[in-house]
Amino acid sequence: MNFTKQEIIDMLNARGADHEALLERALATKLEYLDHFVHLRGLIEYSSVCRKNCLYCGLRSGNSKAIRYTMTDEEVMDCARQAVELRYGSIALQCGERNDKAFTDKIAQLVRDIKKLSDGKLGITLSCGEQSEEVYRQWFEAGAHRYLLRIESSNEELYYKIHPHDDTHAFATRLNCIDTLLKIGYQTGTGTMIGLPFQTVSDMADDLLFFQSKGVAMVGMGPFIPHPDTPLWQYRNDIPSDEERLQMTLRMIAILRLMMPEINMVSASANQTLNPLGRSMAVKAGANVLMPNLSPSPYRKDYIIYPDKQCIEETASFCAAHLELQMRAIKHSILYDEWGDSKAFLKAHPTFR
Ligand code: 5AD
Ligand code: SF4
């Protein structure tokens, strides 16, 4: 569905009964196009090493308190094995950004090894930051078929208020990377944080129009959560309250579900940080993908993008059982053993797979 920017702004400003009506409409739209199914991506937080210095993230290179680790190949394979055993269907390999050849070759090798280990059964999403076209192609040919790279904000001015203004954090490069991923044929996902300092409702409306104009296959949007060891912490009292950021996130998801009914939309784990039921709330507002954590416990506490991350201690199988119950409680079902590709993407690429 197409909305004008003003219509989107009006929906973002909805409160009370209007807010509830918007969420109900989005849920009805999702059920009509995608049914009540939820897809899983087992999350592997491969490495906390990052060359970037984003002003909001606990893993920024300037944060000397962050503990840096990189999983061994065997640990990654153990995670993939667990994903197969838990019948997740897909995994997402995420890490801080590096672009040295040792790293980019390693990712290609891990993708090939995961494919081999699962007999080609596990779908693979990568989320390893900005890379050259050559590297994106190398990883695609190795077997990754989905890629997540959030734009963080589609407003260039705001982008530079939340990133250092230098060559390593260029807005144009970020845009180019998203275009390159789409061109190569990845199911490409992008997204933003919601409730950032300096962010306006107009910015958020533009973000939604940006996703639609790019025709992306997947979107992940989650509330911004201030981290004490980052520069944006100083604005923690200038942003909307936890509850408001969560409710705004739900409206963003709901509106986008109306605009792009067949895309995959993830319920970000940051929702769970702001409210114990946050993950389910986002699914009820229109999200259809969950990313249960598969990383080994000792590493989880060191992959701290934002504070109060949930599921630090739980084992992967406990998370899986918990999710199953949470989804049943809201009349949704998890689809096991399936890649769970974006329906929007499959329609646009009928020869895929
Ligand atoms: N709060 C919420 N989300 C964050 N991210 C990074 N830092 C924060 C934060 N403080 C998100 C970014 C990034 C993704 C991996 O995590 O959107 O793309
Ligand atoms: Fe690195 Fe990603 Fe954090 Fe930016 S958001 S500092 S690229 S891990």
Side-chain angles (χ1 to χ4, degrees), residues 50-316:
C50 187
R51 75 187 191 104
K52 284 247 173 102
N53 214 6
C54 308
L55 303 182
Y56 42 83
C57 176
L59 297 186
R60 66 198 303 269
S61 53
N63 180 14
S64 56
K65 289 193 196 160
I67 295 169
R68 310 291 171 177
Y69 71 86
T70 300
M71 284 187 194
T72 64
D73 295 4
E74 201 36 56
E75 284 166 335
V76 175
M77 291 309 128
D78 281 345
C79 290
R81 231 169 265 129
Q82 275 210 301
V84 174
E85 276 162 24
L86 294 166
R87 304 176 48 218
Y88 280 1
S90 280
I91 55 114
L93 191 80
Q94 194 183 72
C95 54
E97 187 175 303
R98 272 175 60 186
N99 50 16
D100 50 285
K101 193 162 169 8
F103 171 80
T104 55
D105 285 349
K106 172 60 76 180
I107 297 289
Q109 178 222 311
L110 290 170
V111 169
R112 279 192 297 271
D113 290 352
I114 293 171
K115 279 274 153 205
K116 208 186 289 168
L117 170 143
S118 70
D119 226 355
K121 288 204 184 85
L122 277 180
I124 302 181
T125 307
L126 291 179
S127 182
C128 309
E130 293 170 9
Q131 304 290 342
S132 66
E133 177 166 346
E134 193 189 353
V135 168
Y136 282 149
R137 284 195 188 279
Q138 181 191 7
W139 292 350
F140 189 72
E141 277 151 26
H145 70 292
R146 293 193 278 247
Y147 204 99
L148 296 173
L149 184 66
R150 286 186 177 181
I151 185 77
E152 314 296 359
S153 170
S154 64
N155 173 340
E156 183 165 1
E157 242 174 75
L158 177 56
Y159 190 89
Y160 284 122
K161 286 184 179 151
I162 61 171
H163 297 96
H165 205 148
D166 60 25
D167 286 351
T168 316
H169 301 82
F171 182 69
T173 307
R174 176 70 54 132
L175 277 179
N176 275 336
C177 284
I178 293 173
D179 288 340
T180 304
L181 291 163
L182 285 163
K183 182 178 80 181
I184 292 173
Y186 278 100
Q187 278 179 56
T188 305
T190 189
T192 55
M193 283 172 285
I194 293 157
L196 287 161
F198 318 112
Q199 190 183 37
T200 64
V201 172
S202 166
D203 292 329
M204 291 185 248
D206 284 334
D207 289 339
L208 297 180
L209 290 166
F210 170 80
F211 304 146
Q212 195 176 37
S213 72
K214 288 284 168 200
V216 292
M218 325 182 283
V219 171
M221 297 182 278
F224 164 64
I225 300 174
H227 187 301
D229 304 317
T230 63
L232 291 194
W233 176 251
Q234 64 187 298
Y235 303 109
R236 64 194 175 283
N237 297 322
D238 305 332
I239 57 172
S241 69
D242 287 2
E243 183 60 20
E244 283 171 65
R245 297 200 313 287
L246 178 61
Q247 298 301 332
M248 185 57 96
T249 301
L250 300 180
R251 286 194 290 280
M252 287 286 278
I253 291 173
I255 297 165
L256 192 62
R257 179 54 72 201
L258 300 177
M259 293 167 69
M260 304 181 80
E262 296 186 324
I263 60 166
N264 276 349
M265 241 192 294
V266 67
S267 169
S269 50
N271 293 319
Q272 195 87 344
T273 295
L274 296 188
N275 185 313
L277 294 177
R279 197 156 51 181
S280 302
M281 290 161 93
V283 171
K284 278 180 76 182
N288 69 324
V289 173
L290 297 170
M291 296 178 68
N293 203 331
L294 281 176
S295 313
S297 282
Y299 293 132
R300 289 191 195 188
K301 63 172 184 2
D302 298 330
Y303 199 84
I304 298 297
I305 291 176
Y306 54 83
D308 296 326
K309 195 175 107 172
Q310 301 296 292
C311 305
I312 299 260
E313 300 297 339
E314 287 82 351
T315 61

